[in-house]
Every structure is written in structure tokens, then in C-alpha cells.
Amino acid sequence: MAKGLRASTRKANRVKLRSRVFGPVEGARTQRLSAKILELASRTRPIKDEDVRTEKDTAMVGLKQQEKEAESDPKAEQPEEAAIWIFTLGFFPYKPFLPGRAQYHGDEDDFVSNAPFDKVIFMVVDALRSDFVYSTESGFHFTQSLIRSGAAIPFTAHATAPTITMPRVKAITTGSIPSFLDVILNFAESDTSSTLAMQDNWPYQLKAKLGGRLVMYGDDTWLKLFPDTFFRSDGTTSFFVSDFTEVDQNVTRHVPFELDQGDWNGMIMHYLGLDHIGHKSGPQSLHMIPKHHEMDSIVEQIFQALQTKSHLKSTLLVLCGDHGMNDAGNHGGSAPGETSSALVFISPKLESISLGTPCPLESPNKAFQYYNVVEQSDVAPTLAGLLNFPIPLNNLGIFIPEFLRFWSKAESVVLMTSNAQQVLRIVRETFSDIAFDGMVDWTRCAEPASDVEQLQCLWAAVKALQDDENASADERLSALTKFLRATQDIMSSTASNYDILKLQLGIVTAAVTACCAVAAVAALDPRGWSFWTCVLVLNYGGMMFASSYVEEEQYFWYWTASGWLVILYLKFILLRAIIPYYQILYLPILLAIHRVLRRWNQTGQKHAGEPDIAKTFLPAHNILLWIAVTVTFLDMSRRLAWFGLPGAPSRVASCASIVLCLSAFGFKVAFTITDAPELLTGIPQYLWKPIEGTPLVSQARIVLWSLALSVVYNMYQSIKLKADFKTSAT
């Protein structure tokens, strides 16, 4: 009887389920879905999440509600945000800024009429390292001949970190010392501090002269930094680093026209091709020397115009790099190759003050320091003196002494005094509570107690010599030079006067936040993986306190990956009572693959430029390289045919995958012909000659359109599959 009662109860329950749940749609079921209907009918109705909520779910909902309230409250601040904010306040120290534009005053009015030049051609070759011009391996043969003859005066310009274009252009044009904050502000295009429209600079001063007009061709960074400044311009983008030729030809094509014009007093050119070669294949690339010859031919073309065209007889040509590059062809840090750039002043007029200098030279050392070393910020006051315009207000540079030979000793004193007075204004702005015109205790000047006291003593010495009628011009120049160099060193260091207390507070806040996060994860981690996460975070965070570890960060991940493979392998074998002999080889095979991947590309600073697989072994074994490339494309074609076009007939999928991979392979070959033709050495020409000359843009469009069509087809199939599933479910 009990058995019959249970059966009756089950039957009644099924009837209720059919009438309440499945009844409304049961009549629409087709015969082929009857089996599925019975399976669904035998299941209990799922309970909605809103009906049942565990204590844990309630707590999570409360946390989510608090997060929403915090997000809605603009004053709410997360701990990690507070840590970043505090650290940022300490990392970016205050740097004085003088608004407005410089103007002549005082004794300078009696001096400026003697300026030897009235026009300047400023030629920037991006990443022009000093040895690219001065060494025996250089391709700048004509420029070297000018240095030997005295028509060019060479220097090594020191570029402080960060060695990237925008901060370096700021240093060259304003004479100031940009910091890492300038790099961040460059990304905020709406922020006025990311341009130089509100800062004094020599392009503005040159344009402000009577009849002043500027033209610019090359890197569009200049157009962003100096909006509405140039009378004629044509900017080029620096993002397509594989372009070695057109990006420079777009600059050079304007040179003949501009050399025939007399309506400008400043022409700026910024070539990017050499920097692109460095990024792609390093300073030892086969493309580097031909690029040297190309840039040297531009110098020769301009110099011949300076000699033959009457309206250019008082024109100064400046050839320089904005920064250098390391052995891997990169830049941004403070390695000697990155901070040492070439700086050459060129003009037939320079032969009157220079007897010439031996060139080329053997590399003196790994510091790449040829001839006299000057700061990039020294360019601004030097151009101001040579071209007769006021020194920019925020300049910390020093007039390069080699050019004082254009003037008498008395005039040189006036020029250096104006440079010193301009720099002194920045010192007074920085140390506003210190008096620089009062009496000085000379007994304390032997060993100054602080940098400020040292500057006080040096300036007092300058004033004393100015008041001494018996002081010679050489003594005054020496005192002025000492004051300027000390001021440049001290004021430049203020860019790194970090607020240590705020830095420490930010680090402690971040550490506490990280510990709380790890503890929260551990509470929800039943398997204990949070312990290893904590170890990883602490070790990685500790590396950030040493610059050498930051530069070689990849080794941390190499060691971590190796250790993690060992841990996973031990867990794998400990869970098994019997281990087949071939499984013992898993770990050595994985570690061997990992080792190969490590040597595929050399990264970091210490071993940059050393031999690796991608840049050394494969280019030397072209056949092996193209076999690997071909096998890769064949494997991609097979995978696309099997999985890339779901729902398509097999023949259609195979044909489509072949067309897509062939077009991509053809584009790769054509790009190699243009970008690195040496990689095709030893490959039969009949295999790649038919592709040579085919426009890269057309081939790229074919590949991209093929990929787009395959993506659209996959999206269509996905939508169709979901629609079919919904239809079958109903």
C-alpha cells in the first residue's frame, strides 16, 4: 500500500509540473523533441537566485552596495588610489617656472648688433648618437671633412633622462631641464603644459624678431609643442617605425624649395628614419650606414647653398640628435649611448674662429664622449647669442665658450653676464627666502655649508670682480663661468629633489593595501594558492627598489616561470603511484623549451645587442628561417580550414583559408623585400621576384579585408547558433 501511495504521489507531482510549468508550451513541441521534453519534465523547477540567498551571498551583496556607494561619492578614495597619489606628490618635485617672454634690457642693447648670424637651419636627426658622426665607422664623410677644415665645430651633447623626443626638444628649445612629469603631461593633449605655447623658447624669440618667420618639416612633435608658430610646415608621424625612407623623403623634398626662399629666418627639420632603423634592427643594422650617407648628403646640399646663395651667407646650420640609442637600438633610459648625441655647428663663417679638429676619431670609451661635452640645454643660450635674441626666461644652459671668439673680451663679458643674470632669476625664484645681493661671509665660502650658500659665494665673487676696475676680462669670464656651471648643476638636481617622506608614506600605504588584498584573497582561497601569490608580489615589489633590477626585470619572470614549472611537475608526479618512464622527460623538455624562448630575443639593458636567435641566428640561416615561416603559415591554413569557418562546407573553408594565408604570406614577403632584403639572400629569386614591386598598401588591404570577412562570418554563425538554440529550447 505504501508503495502504491508513493507512486500516486509521484504521479500527482508530475501532473502538477506538466500543468504549471510545461503545459503552455507542450502543444508546440515537435515529434523530434519529445525525448528532450520527457527529460525536462522529470526535473524539478530551478529556484531563482532572488528566492534563496546564503549568508555569504548576502555579505557579497553588501560589499557590492558599498562599492557602488563609493563610486557614486566623488570624495571617496580607495587605498590604492591614495597610495599612488601620495607617491606621485613626492616623486614629482616642484620646479620653478617663470611666465612671460624675455626681453633685452641694460647693457645688452650695446652688444646685440654684433651677432654673426641672422638665420638658422636646425637639422635634428632622431637618435643621432655621437659615434654615428665622429667615429671611424661613420658614414658622415662630408661632415667630417667640414670638422677638419674648421667650417664645423663638433660637440657631444649630453641628454638627461628621459631620453625621448618630447622632453629633449623641450630642453633644446627652452634651455630647461625636463623631468619625467613632462612625459606624462605629453599624453594629456588638452593640458597646456604639454605644449610650449606658454613657455619662453628660442623658436618664439626667433619668430618675434622683425620679419621673423619659421618653417618646419619632419616629426610632428614640433607642431604639437609649438602650435600656430610655423609659416609653412609638413609634419610626419613617428609611429610607423618600419618606414626607413619615405618618412625622411617627405622632409628632404622641401629642402631645395626652402633654400631658394628668403622669407624665413629659421628652418627646422626633424628626420626620423635613423631612429626607426635603430628600433627595428639596432645600431649595427645594414641600413644604418646608407642612412648616414643620406643624412650627410643633406648636410652637403645645405652647406653648398650657404656658400653660393647670397641670402644665406649669414646662416648657421646646426646638426644634432635629440638623444642617442643603446646597443639594442632603443632609448628612454640613462645608458651612455642613450645620453650621448652629436651636436655640430656648421657655417663657412666658423673658419674665422676655428682651425679645424681631427675627425674621425677612435671611440674614446663606452661613454661615447667625443670632443667637448655640453648639455643640450646649452643650445638655447648659444643660439640666442649667435642670432641676436634674448635668452629664454627658464633657461639653465650656458653659452658655449668656443663661440666667444666672435667677440672681443669685453663683449664676451657682457654676453656671459646676461646669461648669468638670466639664470640668477630662476635661482631667486627657487630660493625666494635667500638674499643674493647682500654681504657674504667670505670665511664660509671656502667650505660652503649648502648648495645655496655656494651659489651666494660664487655670485658675490662675480659682483666683486664687476666692481673692481682692475679686474681683467679673463678673471670676470672665469668667475661667470664658475657661477653658471655650479648653478646649472644645482638647479638641474632640483628636478630630482624627491620628497622622501611622501615617497615612504606612499610605499607603506601601497604595502598595507597589498597585504589586505592578499588576506582577502586567502579567505576565499581553499587551496592555498594565495600564499604563492603573496610570495610573488613581495619579491616583485622588492625588485622595484633597485634600478638594475628594473632594467633587467625579465630575469625575475624567467626564474619565476622555471620555478613554477618545477612546482607543477612535482605536484603532477606526487599524485601518481606509478609514473611511466616517458613522463619523467616532461620537465627537462619544458625547461629546454623555456630556455630557447629566453634566448629568442635579448631584452633589458645589460645584454642588449648581444647575439640571440631572432636577430643573429635566423638571419644567418635564411633557409631555416623561411622554412619555419612556411610551416607556420601552413599550420595556420590547416587550423583555419578546420576551425576558422564553422558551418561552412569543407571545400569552401579550405579554399578560404588558403586564400587568406597566401595573401598574408605574400604581404610578409613583399614587406621583407622592402624592410629587410638581406633576409632573402640565398632564396631563389623566382620565388619572390613576382611579388617585388607590388604595392604594400594593396596587399595589406587584401589581408585585412579577408580577416574582416572571416570575422563577420564567424559573428553571423555565432548569432545564428544562438538563435537556433533558443528556437530548439522553446
Side-chain angles (χ1 to χ4, degrees):
M1 181 176 178
K3 183 177 181 181
L5 182 59
R6 287 196 298 271
S8 300
T9 302
R10 290 172 181 170
K11 184 177 181 180
N13 289 339
R14 291 192 185 100
V15 171
K16 290 179 180 179
L17 284 172
R18 290 190 185 99
S19 61
R20 296 178 183 177
V21 181
F22 305 109
V25 296
E26 193 172 7
R29 293 290 188 260
T30 60
Q31 189 64 31
R32 64 184 179 83
L33 296 177
S34 59
K36 189 172 182 179
I37 293 174
L38 294 175
E39 180 183 354
L40 293 173
S42 63
R43 297 180 182 177
T44 57
R45 180 172 64 90
I47 301 175
K48 296 181 179 180
D49 293 338
E50 294 86 346
D51 298 331
V52 178
R53 180 175 292 163
T54 64
E55 183 178 356
K56 181 179 176 181
D57 294 334
T58 304
M60 293 302 294
V61 170
L63 289 174
K64 291 180 179 179
Q65 183 64 29
Q66 293 177 7
E67 291 176 0
K68 291 181 179 179
E69 292 175 357
E71 291 175 358
S72 62
D73 184 4
K75 296 182 180 180
E77 192 173 65
Q78 300 297 329
E80 62 272 15
E81 295 176 356
I84 295 173
W85 178 250
I86 296 172
F87 186 88
T88 301
L89 290 177
F91 187 74
F92 297 124
Y94 166 75
K95 186 172 66 173
F97 170 73
L98 299 178
R101 307 289 185 181
Q103 295 180 353
Y104 278 127
H105 56 83
D107 295 337
E108 296 166 322
D109 292 331
D110 300 328
F111 162 76
V112 294
S113 60
N114 298 325
F117 301 102
D118 57 14
K119 293 183 179 182
V120 62
I121 299 175
F122 201 77
M123 179 178 173
V124 181
V125 179
D126 209 289
L128 186 66
R129 201 169 66 186
S130 57
D131 61 318
F132 292 166
V133 178
Y134 306 139
S135 74
T136 54
E137 299 177 357
S138 168
F140 283 83
H141 301 310
F142 180 77
T143 303
Q144 292 178 348
S145 69
L146 295 179
I147 295 173
R148 291 193 298 269
S149 69
I153 300 179
F155 302 93
T156 294
H158 177 259
T160 57
T163 49
I164 59 177
T165 296
M166 191 276 292
R168 294 299 93 220
V169 172
K170 278 191 174 184
I172 292 171
T173 56
T174 66
S176 61
I177 309 297
S179 65
F180 283 93
L181 182 60
D182 294 287
V183 181
I184 297 175
L185 293 176
N186 187 51
F187 294 100
E189 294 297 337
S190 60
D191 193 292
T192 57
S193 57
S194 63
T195 73
L196 294 178
M198 306 302 295
Q199 298 186 41
D200 199 8
N201 53 79
W202 66 255
Y204 171 85
Q205 293 289 351
L206 196 59
K207 182 182 178 181
K209 293 180 65 176
L210 182 63
R213 282 181 174 178
L214 302 181
V215 295
M216 198 289 300
Y217 302 101
D219 189 356
D220 57 6
T221 300
W222 290 81
L223 299 179
K224 297 175 183 177
L225 289 176
F226 303 98
D228 304 323
T229 299
F230 301 105
F231 178 61
R232 288 186 296 270
S233 63
D234 185 10
T236 58
T237 180
S238 60
F239 287 106
F240 189 47
V241 296
S242 296
D243 180 9
F244 301 162
T245 54
E246 291 184 7
V247 70
D248 287 343
Q249 290 174 359
N250 286 334
V251 179
T252 304
R253 63 190 177 93
H254 297 285
V255 172
F257 171 79
E258 293 296 350
L259 292 178
D260 290 334
Q261 305 302 309
D263 58 349
W264 52 264
N265 63 343
M267 180 169 73
I268 297 172
M269 301 180 294
H270 194 135
Y271 288 91
L272 293 167
L274 187 140
D275 180 61
H276 290 181
I277 293 173
H279 283 300
K280 287 290 291 184
S281 49
Q284 303 302 324
S285 169
L286 297 177
H287 299 282
M288 192 60 77
I289 297 301
K291 181 58 66 174
H292 290 183
H293 293 320
E294 179 186 348
M295 296 296 98
D296 192 52
S297 67
I298 305 303
V299 174
E300 182 176 7
Q301 180 182 2
I302 296 175
F303 186 79
Q304 290 176 353
L306 301 186
Q307 290 179 310
T308 58
K309 298 182 183 296
S310 59
H311 64 280
L312 297 177
K313 64 180 180 180
S314 296
T315 300
L316 174 67
L317 169 62
V318 180
L319 170 67
C320 68
D322 54 346
H323 49 74
M325 65 174 67
N326 58 23
D327 292 338
N330 300 319
H331 55 87
S334 56
E338 299 172 78
T339 60
S340 301
S341 61
L343 175 63
V344 189
F345 292 81
I346 303 172
S347 172
K349 280 191 171 185
L350 294 178
E351 293 179 342
S352 63
I353 65 170
S354 174
L355 298 177
T357 306
C359 193
L361 299 178
E362 294 290 340
S363 180
N365 47 48
K366 276 292 184 180
F368 301 97
Q369 294 183 351
Y370 297 81
Y371 307 107
N372 290 336
V373 179
V374 299
E375 294 293 328
Q376 278 190 335
S377 56
D378 296 344
V379 172
T382 302
L383 289 181
L386 293 175
L387 279 95
N388 181 18
F389 58 79
I391 300 174
L393 283 179
N394 294 283
N395 164 72
L396 290 175
I398 304 171
F399 187 91
I400 298 177
E402 281 78 354
F403 297 104
L404 291 176
R405 302 168 193 164
F406 276 117
W407 299 279
S408 66
K409 289 294 182 67
E411 292 172 329
S412 298
V413 170
V414 174
L415 174 60
M416 297 300 287
T417 301
S418 67
N419 192 177
Q421 290 174 341
Q422 173 269 318
V423 171
L424 181 64
R425 287 194 286 270
I426 303 178
V427 175
R428 286 173 170 164
E429 178 70 18
T430 306
F431 307 105
S432 56
D433 56 336
I434 304 297
F436 284 87
D437 294 325
M439 297 297 296
V440 175
D441 185 0
W442 293 103
T443 60
R444 296 172 58 91
C445 291
E447 296 183 0
S450 65
D451 291 338
V452 178
E453 188 171 334
Q454 178 186 0
L455 294 182
Q456 283 181 302
C457 293
L458 291 174
W459 182 246
V462 170
K463 297 293 290 183
L465 288 173
Q466 287 180 342
D467 296 336
D468 185 0
E469 296 181 355
N470 297 322
S472 65
D474 289 333
E475 291 176 328
R476 293 176 179 176
L477 285 174
S478 177
L480 287 166
T481 302
K482 288 181 180 179
F483 171 76
L484 284 168
R485 294 196 183 282
T487 303
Q488 187 179 60
D489 293 339
I490 293 172
M491 295 304 297
S492 298
S493 66
T494 60
S496 58
N497 285 344
Y498 305 119
D499 191 328
I500 303 300
L501 179 61
K502 290 180 181 178
L503 291 178
Q504 294 174 342
L505 182 59
I507 292 172
V508 170
T509 305
V512 171
T513 304
C515 292
C516 293
V518 170
V521 173
L524 302 175
D525 180 19
R527 296 192 297 175
W529 290 113
S530 59
F531 171 77
W532 298 107
T533 303
C534 182
V535 172
L536 182 68
V537 170
L538 291 177
N539 281 278
Y540 182 71
M543 289 180 58
M544 297 299 105
F545 290 93
S547 61
S548 58
Y549 282 123
V550 174
E551 293 173 349
E552 306 298 331
E553 177 188 353
Q554 71 277 4
Y555 284 103
F556 174 82
W557 298 111
Y558 293 159
W559 301 330
T560 302
S562 301
W564 190 244
L565 288 175
V566 173
I567 292 174
L568 292 179
Y569 180 74
L570 292 176
K571 290 177 68 68
F572 172 76
I573 62 175
L574 291 176
L575 293 176
R576 285 162 174 76
I578 301 176
I579 304 174
Y581 70 92
Y582 60 85
Q583 292 184 356
I584 299 176
L585 300 176
Y586 284 177
L587 182 61
I589 292 174
L590 288 174
L591 292 178
I593 295 174
H594 179 257
R595 180 63 182 176
V596 171
L597 293 176
R598 284 181 58 176
R599 291 304 303 270
W600 196 267
N601 281 298
Q602 287 285 9
T603 57
Q605 296 286 341
K606 185 176 181 180
H607 301 289
E610 291 190 2
D612 56 28
I613 296 175
K615 296 179 181 178
T616 307
F617 178 78
L618 290 179
H621 301 80
N622 291 349
I623 303 298
L624 181 60
L625 170 63
W626 285 104
I627 289 175
V629 171
T630 304
V631 170
T632 302
F633 275 92
L634 289 175
D635 182 64
M636 285 194 297
S637 178
R638 179 184 62 85
R639 292 174 181 271
L640 286 173
W642 286 3
F643 311 110
L645 299 173
S650 59
R651 291 185 178 180
V652 174
S654 299
C655 292
S657 64
I658 291 173
V659 170
L660 177 58
C661 289
L662 278 179
S663 59
F665 184 79
F667 174 74
K668 183 174 185 63
V669 173
F671 192 85
T672 304
I673 295 172
T674 304
D675 183 43
E678 66 275 7
L679 295 180
L680 294 170
T681 304
I683 307 298
Q685 291 190 2
Y686 64 84
L687 294 177
W688 54 269
K689 271 293 183 181
I691 304 176
E692 188 177 16
T694 306
L696 290 177
V697 176
S698 301
Q699 295 193 51
R701 286 173 179 170
I702 294 174
V703 176
L704 293 176
W705 275 111
S706 300
L707 288 173
L709 290 175
S710 63
V711 170
V712 170
Y713 175 81
N714 278 274
M715 292 175 62
Y716 167 75
Q717 287 293 334
S718 177
I719 296 172
K720 182 180 177 182
L721 184 61
K722 290 181 179 180
D724 292 343
F725 179 78
K726 289 182 179 180
T727 303
S728 63
T730 57

